DNA sequence: GGCCACAATCAGAGAATTGCTGATTTCCCG
DNA sequence: CGGGAAATCAGCAATTCTCTGATTGTGGCC
């Protein structure tokens, strides 16, 4: 079970150095090293590696776009982005493009190996220096794209997901059925869904209810 | 981390013999041995053991009822039923009463120890001689209690769980909305649920749809 | 203090869905 | 050749949904 790796970076010295480092590891094999994004896409579709180690800044086609292309065409291939910078924007763009891992060029060889093994195993890898920013970005996106639910809405969501009818919820909460309907509409609008089925899935994902019993 | 065990059996010789066997094992300690079901319930609520080793046939209160009582009052206590017979009815009754394990009196000491360790660790234990019967019983129950869905019903279930309305499903399938409604009713009746929320959860559990996107 | 945004509440009216009963057709199995 | 189950559809009353519009209370902000 060796992990087959394609390396894409526009600096020859880095390519050779990283290849040497990785080849010291018995379970990782560098099967190709290319110097631009187009070559990375081509060689990946030809060789079908397990992991592509992708530099961000490359001529012809940058690493982000190359990642997007590879992930779209070969979802089984995992991409680890190798970058000089830890700025949250680059990181989240790379991850949005479909990268499974993100490591900095300043990292130790051991970390690079850990990242490759992690993504080859189907997990992800984020170098500690960027995780904070990613989490912050994530929560910001969550709150702007998906507005926070109000406490009342959360209660109604839970009851809906538990299978209660509008009338039943109104009785339980001691409010009018009309109000429950309004809450439901607000919920659907916020969650971006237009059915009880969608609301229920959202509730399950959010942990507001369980999948346990039928309702 | 020794496992504290209460032993309940109406034959003194068996109590002494099993206690001796278990005490040879360093991580298992028999803290009490009683001779009827009532005493088992009493001593269990008093001592709070990790595991109760429970004979099925006992005077005053049989092992099944004693198990039911113990599990209801002290859910943290695990019960291993010790029985002479492997008949599926006894086994499934015992498991339905809340037993976590089932071993035969004809088993080796090593198996008893394995069973006790397993249930103490929060898992279950079924002696191989009875697993076949239990699985058969289970699938029979499944098919009678939860009748198999027809292929058409599965299709409708999926579409409902994906958030489509009755009218939309009718269009997609090229049938009347009334028919879709009938399918939905049959689904709810079979699944034992009376809401789209319940159906959606069932669909997710069954893998008919995913939790991914909202709808 | 006044203003504004928003949560929470409710209502009206027409459209859609639900729940229940009942029926027909087709098809497979013994 | 039945018998039964699956799949289809209808009628009808009750409920729910959708959309629009409105009121009240609260908290933050100038």
């Amino acid at each position: 079970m060796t992990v087959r790796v394609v390396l894409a970076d526009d600096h020859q010295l880095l390519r050779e150095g990283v290849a040497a480092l990785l080849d010291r590891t018995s379970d990782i094999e560098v099967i190709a090293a290319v110097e631009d994004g187009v070559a990375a896409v081509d060689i990946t579709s030809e060789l079908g590696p397990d992991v592509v180690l992708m530099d961000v800044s490359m001529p012809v086609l940058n690493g982000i776009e190359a990642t997007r292309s590879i992930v779209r065409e070969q979802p089984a291939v995992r991409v680890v982005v190798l970058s000089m910078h830890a700025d949250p924007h680059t990181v989240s763009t790379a991850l949005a493009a479909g990268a499974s891992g993100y490591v900095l060029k300043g990292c130790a060889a051991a970390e690079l190996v850990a990242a490759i093994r992690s993504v080859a195993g189907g997990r992800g890898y984020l170098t500690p220096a960027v995780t904070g920013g990613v989490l912050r970005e994530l929560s910001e996106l969550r709150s702007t794209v998906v507005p926070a639910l109000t406490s009342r809405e959360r209660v109604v969501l839970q009851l809906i997901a538990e299978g209660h009818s509008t009338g039943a919820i109104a009785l339980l909460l001691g409010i009018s059925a009309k109000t429950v309907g309004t809450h439901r509409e607000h919920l659907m609008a916020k969650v971006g869904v237009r059915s009880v089925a969608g609301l229920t899935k959202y509730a399950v994902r959010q942990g507001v209810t369980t999948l346990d019993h039928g309702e």
Side-chain angles (χ1 to χ4, degrees), chain A residues 38-166:
Chain A
V38 169
V41 173
D42 290 346
I43 201 80
T44 297
S45 69
E46 184 182 330
L47 298 180
D50 300 306
V51 174
V52 178
L53 207 51
M54 181 83 73
D55 185 25
V56 170
S57 57
M58 282 187 295
V60 190
L61 185 67
N62 71 58
I64 305 286
E65 292 309 317
T67 298
R68 201 185 308 281
S69 170
I70 288 173
V71 169
R72 188 179 54 234
E73 284 168 24
Q74 298 196 80
V77 177
R78 303 288 158 170
V79 177
V80 173
V81 168
L82 192 57
S83 166
M84 283 174 48
H85 306 293
D87 71 287
H89 183 254
T90 308
V91 178
S92 70
T93 307
L95 296 179
S100 300
Y102 195 99
V103 295
L104 298 177
K105 287 194 179 177
C107 79
E111 184 180 346
L112 187 57
V113 170
I116 291 173
R117 286 183 183 145
S118 182
V119 302
R123 296 176 298 279
Y125 185 90
L126 278 186
T127 191
V130 307
T131 47
V134 169
L135 290 183
R136 212 169 308 118
E137 181 109 358
L138 189 68
S139 69
E140 277 174 27
L141 275 180
R142 266 288 161 75
S143 57
T144 56
V145 174
V146 179
L149 303 185
T150 68
S151 61
R152 201 54 161 169
E153 285 165 353
R154 238 186 311 280
V155 170
V156 173
L157 172 63
Q158 176 177 353
L159 291 171
I160 290 174
E162 283 172 358
H164 299 286
S165 72
T166 299

